[in-house]
Amino acid sequence: MPSLAQMSGSLHIHQFYIDKLKANQERLLGSDPELAQLLDNVAAVLSEHAVALAEDIAEMESSEED
């Protein structure tokens, strides 16, 4: 199982790419709506994974406090 530091780093990377995808999606919305929709879908999948990862991190942090 990955360490808490590795999971936190992964969450940070997820958030970085989610932000980049959303910025590019907004930029492409007028010129290429299909690509913009694809980027939005990818960002949504990464966001779901980031939420699950954040929950796992919270669980690990609470178990370390016990």
Side-chain angles (χ1 to χ4, degrees):
M1 176 164 225
S3 71
L4 184 58
Q6 290 171 323
M7 292 176 71
S8 295
S10 181
L11 181 59
H12 183 62
I13 291 168
H14 274 67
Q15 197 58 49
F16 172 80
Y17 282 108
I18 290 166
D19 293 343
K20 287 195 78 72
L21 285 165
K22 287 183 178 183
N24 282 319
Q25 183 243 351
E26 289 176 16
R27 186 176 55 84
L28 291 169
L29 200 54
S31 62
D32 193 346
E34 288 181 14
L35 182 55
Q37 182 63 48
L38 177 63
L39 294 179
D40 187 52
N41 292 343
V42 173
V45 170
L46 279 178
S47 293
E48 289 174 13
H49 192 257
V51 167
L53 194 53
E55 290 171 355
D56 291 345
I57 289 169
E59 285 179 24
M60 285 182 75
E61 289 174 337
S62 69
S63 68
E64 284 184 355
E65 292 174 0
D66 295 338

